[in-house]
Amino acid sequence: MIESPKNSMVVIQNVDKHFGTVKAVNNVSVTIEAGEVVVIIGPSGSGKSTLLRCINFLEVPTSGDIWIDGIHLSKKTKNINAVRREVGMVFQQFNLFPHLTALENITIAQRVVRKRSKSEAAEIARQQLKRVGIPEKENVYPGQLSGGQQQRVAIARALAMNPKIMLFDEPTSALDPEMIKEVLDVMLDLAKEGMTMIVVTHEMGFARNAADRIIFMDEGRVIEDTTPNELYDNPQHDRTKLFLSKILQ
Amino acid sequence: MDSSNRTSGVATTQGQITDSLSRLPWWLLILVLGAVFLIFRFINDETYREIFNFLRSGIIVTIRVTVIAYVFAITFGLLAGLGRVSSNPIIYNIATLYVQIMRGLPILVTLLYVSFVIIPLVITQINTLGVYLAGIGLLGEENILAMLGNRRAGLEVNFEIRAIIALAISYGAFSAEIFRAGIESIGRGQMEAARSLGMNYFEAMRHIILPQAVRRVLPPLGNDFIAMLKESSLVSALGVQDITQLGRLYSASSFEYLKTYNMVAFLYLSMTILLSMGVKTMETRLRTND
């Protein structure tokens, strides 16, 4: 095992991810401290989702190294599941398990992976459902929940595993406008509680309110890595200015 | 303009009536009438009753062969289906080889090949192993391995068992493809969500993917069962005394071809039609639950 060069929560070093000849992620190095909230923005196809998926190895990087809380991940890492259970992930399409109720969606991994008892898992699940504001939906199947409610169950499901880091992959992009706020509110609360979060999103309001840092990516590279105010008020690169002028109207 | 509207309105009503009439299950009515007629003949005809009594033990054999072979076929099918979606090239290729061979062979040929080639070969190998183990003193002189296939010792593998093995191997390939399609129909996101929660591949398969896939493959698996019931008539080629074989025996000795095969066809049809209605019900119920 290669020692982490820094004592940080996430260390990404010279990571490449190629799909055939396409360099989705091109030599990216980023360090994220515990408790930091980092928002990644960029045009579609800029590699921001791929980078996020590399952090819990849903995509295996073509080359480069990643450390999660000091544990080294590489192509040869055997115990990837031990790392994954410390990293919660929320998907654009929610990916709830349709054959399980909201409560069961939250208990299944606790029981299978964390080996918690049925009652303990259920109790934690209820706490998490309360935290995301829908305690009354525990016996409802995902198909009967609104998009916003589904995404909140998905957040509760990830939190129930007591992750050290939460990854959000465009969590509000598949939602109707009036449901975006309820999900963002949950994420804001989480940020205030000191969770380490990496969020790929186009929600600039969330970025301004919650983010400690914003990373702007384009064509697989990190173009800027700075504070929200600095990025908005004083973007360094033309590419960033162009992108911001489009999304901020 | 006005009158043309009215006539088209009348035509639509008539069209609706003929439409709903044409959608009635007339085939079922004809079938039921035919069945009533046949049953009426069976009751009043001495020969039919004799034929039925002669075929009765065959019904049990047909059902037994079908059910046992089907249970094994589903087991093989699930394993091979998981192999077909595996990213391990060795497992994938073994499963694909099995599926391609079995789907490419006529079932009758598989039956003959397994019964007269594979099983005698396996028995000889086991015998050799048994004799060898006896030779080095690990087992007794007349151990079960050495005696397997010996008619005098009562340890021969009868043709019903051979037929069941062959049907199971053959149908395993068909259900493997059903399972593969079912697993692949579950979106990639489900596996990713399960993996991102820390489950390994097998835990994700067992708790997340398969429970959803199984619901989708139940109707096609039910149809497979019906197909198996029909194809089980091929075991008559091995002399296994199922409905078909007993029908052949009876008609050959009595020359009552019409009545015997009427009865044979009636027995198969009454089972398959009932089963296919059951599958249909299951299908609609699963769909409303989705």
Side-chain angles (χ1 to χ4, degrees):
Chain A
M1 194 173 106
I2 308 167
E3 280 294 316
S4 171
K6 294 170 200 156
N7 192 19
S8 305
M9 188 57 97
V10 180
V11 179
I12 299 168
Q13 206 171 62
N14 305 327
V15 164
D16 282 308
K17 175 66 187 180
H18 302 169
F19 296 107
T21 54
V22 180
K23 292 181 176 175
V25 175
N26 194 352
N27 196 21
V28 168
S29 298
V30 174
T31 304
I32 292 161
E33 304 300 330
E36 257 190 315
V37 176
V38 177
V39 167
I40 306 177
I41 59 171
S44 48
S46 60
K48 50 198 194 304
S49 283
T50 309
L51 178 65
L52 195 75
R53 290 159 61 84
C54 282
I55 294 173
N56 70 349
F57 258 48
L58 281 181
E59 303 289 354
V60 179
T62 311
S63 64
D65 297 282
I66 294 173
W67 287 265
I68 304 289
D69 200 18
I71 302 173
H72 181 235
L73 295 181
S74 74
K75 265 198 275 196
K76 294 175 192 123
T77 307
K78 289 241 169 62
N79 203 7
I80 185 69
N81 298 313
V83 179
R84 281 207 182 116
R85 72 180 74 140
E86 311 297 339
V87 182
M89 177 126 183
V90 176
F91 299 87
Q92 183 178 353
Q93 299 295 339
F94 328 136
N95 293 346
L96 290 181
F97 307 133
H99 63 301
L100 301 176
T101 63
L103 192 84
E104 289 164 343
N105 260 281
I106 307 173
T107 55
I108 181 90
Q110 295 187 60
R111 300 191 59 202
V112 173
V113 178
R114 292 273 191 220
K115 310 287 178 207
R116 288 176 187 153
S117 73
K118 193 174 179 178
S119 57
E120 190 191 0
E123 196 182 317
I124 292 171
R126 288 197 185 95
Q127 284 169 11
Q128 295 301 344
L129 277 176
K130 207 166 165 187
R131 181 178 188 175
V132 299
I134 39 173
E136 73 281 4
K137 300 289 186 190
E138 66 171 68
N139 292 318
V140 178
Y141 285 90
Q144 291 148 321
L145 292 171
S146 72
Q149 290 168 336
Q150 288 194 49
Q151 193 60 298
R152 286 191 278 163
V153 173
I155 294 172
R157 175 175 73 177
L159 289 176
M161 299 297 285
N162 307 113
K164 293 174 180 155
I165 307 161
M166 285 285 285
L167 310 178
F168 294 84
D169 189 3
E170 305 203 23
T172 56
S173 298
L175 295 176
D176 290 339
E178 71 264 33
M179 290 167 184
I180 292 177
K181 188 173 178 298
E182 65 189 52
V183 172
L184 289 180
D185 285 346
V186 170
M187 289 167 63
L188 270 174
D189 285 346
L190 205 57
K192 278 182 204 142
E193 287 165 29
M195 174 67 78
T196 310
M197 292 165 69
I198 307 174
V199 185
V200 171
T201 187
H202 294 122
E203 293 296 327
M204 287 302 134
F206 173 81
R208 200 182 269 276
N209 287 331
D212 299 305
R213 273 161 65 195
I214 296 196
I215 292 174
F216 175 68
M217 281 183 77
D218 190 32
E219 290 175 348
R221 293 175 184 278
V222 172
I223 307 289
E224 296 205 33
D225 180 351
T226 178
T227 62
N229 289 335
E230 192 66 17
L231 187 85
Y232 292 138
D233 303 338
N234 190 18
Q236 297 296 309
H237 294 80
D238 291 343
R239 190 68 193 84
T240 321
K241 285 174 196 163
L242 185 67
F243 180 76
L244 286 175
S245 71
K246 277 181 187 159
I247 59 166
L248 298 175
Q249 273 116 32
Chain B
M1 198 64 185
D2 198 25
S3 66
S4 78
N5 260 348
R6 201 176 299 155
T7 41
S8 79
V10 174
T12 324
T13 339
Q14 275 175 349
Q16 277 167 352
I17 292 170
T18 41
D19 208 38
S20 55
L21 269 179
S22 66
R23 279 211 203 114
L24 283 176
W26 293 104
W27 61 273
L28 191 63
L29 186 69
I30 295 168
L31 214 65
V32 169
L33 284 177
V36 169
F37 173 72
L38 271 181
I39 291 169
F40 184 72
R41 290 292 311 274
F42 294 166
I43 293 168
N44 292 302
D45 191 319
E46 185 67 31
T47 329
Y48 272 125
R49 257 181 290 167
E50 207 183 299
I51 296 169
F52 182 76
N53 283 332
F54 191 81
L55 295 184
R56 214 154 52 182
S57 66
I59 301 174
I60 294 168
V61 171
T62 290
I63 293 175
R64 185 167 63 212
V65 167
T66 306
V67 170
I68 299 177
Y70 186 72
V71 169
F72 282 105
I74 287 206
T75 316
F76 296 158
L78 179 58
L79 292 175
L82 285 170
R84 292 272 285 153
V85 297
S86 169
S87 54
N88 181 322
I90 298 170
I91 294 173
Y92 169 80
N93 278 293
I94 291 174
T96 306
L97 185 69
Y98 162 66
V99 169
Q100 291 297 347
I101 289 177
M102 285 306 151
R103 289 207 309 173
L105 282 174
I107 296 175
L108 183 57
V109 174
T110 307
L111 267 169
L112 297 171
Y113 199 84
V114 169
S115 305
F116 295 115
V117 181
I118 306 260
I119 290 179
L121 210 70
V122 171
I123 289 175
T124 321
Q125 295 302 314
I126 293 175
N127 286 164
T128 316
L129 180 72
V131 171
Y132 171 75
L133 290 176
I136 60 171
L138 268 177
L139 288 171
E141 197 69 38
E142 300 210 331
N143 66 62
I144 186 166
L145 296 183
M147 300 299 281
L148 188 68
N150 186 329
R151 189 180 290 263
R152 269 205 332 238
L155 286 173
E156 54 164 351
V157 182
N158 74 30
F159 275 97
E160 190 177 321
I161 296 176
R162 293 179 199 216
I164 287 172
I165 294 171
L167 279 180
I169 293 176
S170 190
Y171 263 78
F174 292 101
S175 38
E177 287 303 88
I178 294 177
F179 277 112
R180 180 188 60 77
I183 292 168
E184 285 178 348
S185 77
I186 308 299
R188 238 168 67 109
Q190 292 289 306
M191 179 56 95
E192 288 183 350
R195 298 303 299 274
S196 76
L197 287 165
M199 291 189 205
N200 63 35
Y201 180 81
F202 297 101
E203 288 165 343
M205 266 291 166
R206 180 167 158 232
H207 296 285
I208 306 302
I209 307 295
L210 282 180
Q212 294 181 60
V214 163
R215 289 164 57 97
R216 294 199 188 171
V217 301
L218 276 179
L221 282 183
N223 287 329
D224 239 25
F225 183 80
I226 296 168
M228 174 85 96
L229 182 73
K230 292 189 292 177
E231 306 291 5
S232 75
S233 63
L234 289 172
V235 304
S236 60
L238 301 178
V240 175
Q241 303 214 319
D242 72 331
I243 296 173
T244 309
Q245 176 67 2
L246 289 179
R248 282 167 66 184
L249 289 177
Y250 189 88
S251 58
S253 61
S254 66
F255 301 105
E256 293 276 7
Y257 289 107
L258 174 78
K259 289 182 176 176
T260 312
Y261 286 121
N262 264 349
M263 181 59 88
V264 168
F266 174 80
L267 288 174
Y268 278 112
L269 264 179
S270 52
M271 288 193 280
T272 49
I273 297 225
L274 272 179
L275 283 169
S276 71
M277 286 167 136
V279 170
K280 193 107 201 230
T281 319
M282 177 167 75
E283 219 169 4
T284 33
R285 195 166 293 174
L286 282 175
R287 200 172 296 153
T288 50
N289 277 357
D290 255 356

